Amino acid sequence: MPRIVSATAEAIKQSAALIVAGDIVVLPTETVYGLGANALDADAVAKIFKAKNRPNFNPLIIHVADKTQAQGYAEFDGIAHKIADLFWPTALTLILPLKKNSGIAANVTVGLKTIAVRVPNHKIMREVIKQSGVPIAAPSANNSGEPSATTPAHAAQSLGDNAPFILADGACDVGLESTILDLSGDVPTILRAGAVTFEALQAHLPNLQIDNVSKQSADEVKSPGQLLKHYAPSLPVRLNAVDVANGEALLAFGSVKFMSFKSGGHVKDMNKEAYKNLSEDGDLDEAAKNLFMMLRDLDCALHTGIAVMNIPDKGIGVAINERLSRAASQA
Ligand code: AMP
Ligand code: MG
């Protein structure tokens, strides 16, 4: 089994040394746990793809300490400077033109002329980046297609010995992957919803668009990897549930006063392995933080499926619903 190591000063130093040596390390961030490697080292990056069985056409996000470091790898125009200055460090990834002679390994961008870059708002992750001195490519620390790992235990459970070293810092604060904003084209476009909302970005980008990936066919996907089925537990997921079928687990949101069994009875009598509430108070930030963790906890052979209550489609709820609809997708 992998080593789960608390993020002491010594463990941070060791993680940075492993990155420099060309190894992969599971790292905490505010979004989800990342499986990190030196983005300048193609062999190290190849280990990420292998460990999580990630399709080789799905590009990676690089994580850097600040905008100055990002400028070594990506071209910033006026708008990119403005957005980076306003938002970073945070759960916002920018797609920008890849800089010539950047040194970024070709398998990070899978040969694209653009690069995805983010400055995380997580003290330990930033320390690992600074001490390693390199940009860190890091997708979520789980097998490709599964719900993202938001705790060290879930990273360990998903990747097993494929990820020998896990730098642990508890559950992730945000719990969902970053918002992806494409600034490489004529019109700024959100390619993936996240904690940084459409409204927050639109206040500074009046012509902001959203790319609805679920409407694209595989050959016109602008953001490779945003394929339909993703974030999926092994059990079937049923959305907007207003009641629970026999054998189903329930992922609730807010009050369950009006939730009942199809066969009669009230869900308050469900046993606790079959019932989780994303947020009893109906708090969307709390729900985002709990989403992947609870989906993983309910995903066991005791149940026939997971029924999920309606989540309001506002604020970070948009990102929650986007993940859930892909988790429920049959495609
Ligand atoms: P993940 O690391 O799994 O959270 O996913 C990163 C996602 O970022 C990929 O699946 C792509 O959809 C997106 N991405 C990364 N690089 C690019 C790029 N150069 N252009 C467009 N999308 C990208
Ligand atoms: Mg992922």
Side-chain angles (χ1 to χ4, degrees), residues 2-8 10-12 14-15 152 164-169:
R3 283 182 61 206
I4 300 182
V5 184
S6 272
T8 58
E10 189 51 41
I12 290 171
Q14 193 183 354
S15 301
F165 193 91
I166 298 177
L167 185 65
D169 185 48

Side-chain angles (χ1 to χ4, degrees), residues 52 54 58-61 95 112 114-116 138-140 177 180 191-192 222-226 230:
K52 59 178 276 157
R54 184 174 174 103
N58 193 356
L60 303 178
I61 296 170
I95 307 291
L112 296 169
T114 52
I115 184 159
S140 55
E177 305 77 2
I180 299 182
L191 301 181
R192 177 171 77 189
K222 288 217 185 73
S223 188
Q226 299 300 298
H230 205 99

Side-chain angles (χ1 to χ4, degrees), residues 250-256 275-281 290 294:
L250 174 63
L251 185 58
F253 176 79
S255 167
V256 291
Y275 170 72
K276 302 266 174 207
N277 199 321
L278 289 168
S279 170
E280 280 175 11
D281 301 332
N290 286 332
M294 290 183 173

Side-chain angles (χ1 to χ4, degrees), residues 233-239 241 243-251 270 273-275 294-295 297-308:
S234 50
L235 291 176
V237 173
R238 186 167 68 82
L239 302 182
D243 51 18
V244 183
N246 235 349
E248 268 185 335
L250 174 63
L251 185 58
M270 288 178 90
E273 301 84 73
Y275 170 72
M294 290 183 173
L295 274 177
D297 286 340
L298 292 175
D299 191 18
C300 68
L302 290 172
H303 320 302
T304 55
I306 303 173
V308 187

Side-chain angles (χ1 to χ4, degrees), residues 174-218:
V174 176
L176 295 180
E177 305 77 2
S178 57
T179 303
I180 299 182
L181 173 64
D182 185 356
L183 293 178
S184 69
D186 294 336
V187 182
T189 305
I190 292 179
L191 301 181
R192 177 171 77 189
V196 178
T197 61
F198 178 84
E199 291 75 18
L201 291 167
Q202 195 195 30
H204 307 282
L205 297 166
N207 58 341
L208 183 65
Q209 299 282 317
I210 299 182
D211 207 286
N212 193 339
V213 288
S214 59
K215 294 212 176 103
Q216 296 172 10
S217 65

